[in-house]
Amino acid sequence: MSSAEPDSVAANVAQWTATNAEFTDGAAERSWNDPEVKWGVFGIPEFGALRDVNGLDVVELGCGTAFCSARLARLGARVVGVDPTPAQLATARRMQALTGIEFPLVEAPAEAVPLPDASFDLAFSDYGAPLWADPQKWIAEAARLLRPGGRLVFLTTSTLAHLCTPDLDEEPITNELVRPLFGQYRTKWPEYPGIEYHISHGEWIRILRDNGFVVDALHELRPGDDAKTHDYYFTIPVEWAHRWPGEDVWEAHLR
Ligand SMILES: C[S@@+](CC[C@H](N)C(=O)[O-])C[C@H]1O[C@@H](n2cnc3c(N)ncnc32)[C@H](O)[C@@H]1O
């Protein structure tokens, strides 16, 4: 269990500090200047999971450079971005200054967020906390931060994609299961310092319910026919994602 393991926050901040330094090609500018709300590495257009954000208090858990938050702020949400990596938040602040889209940014891991109880209507994340934070801890924090009836919406790598992904970068995702489902929790890829979290659908449901959430939907995303393979370090080829879900979006609300 995670509590017996070393803290993953420091390792993940180290990984994301390095990753931030690699993105020198205007990626933040492109993302911030694009107002369309999209999901995941294929930029799948928003399909209703983040509906009606105008006037809502919204927290993004693991906001990174905060372009997703910026898109919701454009739609009238009162957004707060939370991320533990100073370099990522520095990029977010630079983009806020460039675009004039300003909202609070809080340096903290999603496992321990220094914001008041019951202060948000929507907590969301696109590859932030759901992949990089301990699910038992960050789901409890999301429940604490939300008002009764508040919604939690998040995207992460699908369980199926994780089970089909070999350890090394040079080995592409396969059409076969290469790791067990039982016992999955923390994943340390040999070539990266960070720790990812991957759990089964049953475990997500159990943790969500244990923390007072009602599960409303699990969207198994399929990119559009025109989608292109994204040049990320954990690439899922679009041909694979057309056959199996590469990304899962969970929707839940607090009782
Ligand atoms: C892929 S980015 C997600 C942000 C944005 N949606 C994006 O696509 O760039 C992953 C972010 O998770 C953050 N992260 C790492 N550990 C975290 C933790 N314990 N809690 C919350 N966020 C964490 C990293 O600092 C990084 O900025």
Side-chain angles (χ1 to χ4, degrees):
M1 235 304 290
S2 60
S3 55
E5 301 277 358
D7 183 15
S8 59
V9 175
N12 288 343
V13 168
Q15 175 154 331
W16 279 96
T17 302
T19 302
N20 178 276
E22 286 166 17
F23 278 91
T24 54
D25 64 346
E29 284 78 359
R30 284 195 299 281
S31 301
W32 270 72
N33 288 329
D34 179 353
E36 198 188 334
V37 179
K38 300 172 190 170
W39 285 105
V41 292
F42 298 107
I44 293 173
E46 218 289 298
F47 48 86
L50 291 175
R51 56 194 172 269
D52 302 334
V53 296
N54 186 22
L56 297 188
D57 292 308
V58 177
V59 63
E60 182 177 4
L61 297 170
C63 65
T65 61
F67 63 86
C68 297
S69 284
R71 292 170 185 172
L72 299 193
R74 279 186 164 106
L75 294 174
R78 288 183 295 275
V79 185
V80 178
V82 175
D83 199 284
T85 305
Q88 291 281 82
L89 294 178
T91 301
R93 285 193 194 94
R94 180 169 64 79
M95 292 311 306
Q96 288 191 335
L98 278 173
T99 61
I101 304 170
E102 307 268 356
F103 47 85
L105 295 166
V106 176
E107 185 184 314
E111 292 96 331
V113 179
L115 291 169
D117 296 359
S119 47
F120 293 95
D121 306 302
L122 171 67
F124 89 101
S125 186
D126 177 310
Y127 278 126
L131 189 58
W132 301 101
D134 185 326
Q136 316 240 32
K137 296 177 182 167
W138 82 261
I139 294 283
E141 274 295 79
R144 183 186 67 74
L145 292 167
L146 286 168
R147 300 179 176 124
R151 302 178 64 233
L152 172 63
V153 182
F154 61 90
L155 174 146
T156 191
T157 308
S158 77
T159 304
L160 189 57
H162 181 60
L163 297 182
C164 293
T165 302
D167 275 349
L168 299 177
D169 267 4
E170 72 231 25
E171 299 170 346
I173 192 168
T174 72
N175 297 353
E176 295 175 1
L177 304 174
V178 297
R179 62 186 76 244
L181 178 63
F182 296 125
Q184 291 293 320
Y185 201 77
R186 295 162 58 110
T187 299
K188 167 80 175 68
W189 303 101
E191 294 167 87
Y192 297 94
I195 308 280
E196 294 182 358
Y197 291 90
H198 296 272
I199 59 177
S200 68
H201 290 167
E203 277 294 283
W204 278 120
I205 292 168
R206 185 187 64 74
I207 294 172
L208 287 164
R209 287 173 58 90
D210 283 354
N211 285 283
F213 286 102
V214 175
V215 176
D216 296 313
L218 166 58
H219 305 277
E220 296 164 314
L221 298 191
R222 183 185 188 278
D225 291 338
D226 298 341
K228 304 264 183 301
T229 298
H230 198 292
D231 185 19
Y232 264 6
Y233 70 97
F234 61 101
T235 299
I236 298 175
V238 72
E239 296 77 16
W240 194 98
H242 278 155
R243 299 183 70 195
W244 300 283
E247 298 168 315
D248 291 337
V249 172
W250 289 88
E251 272 191 71
H253 72 271
L254 202 56
R255 274 195 291 273

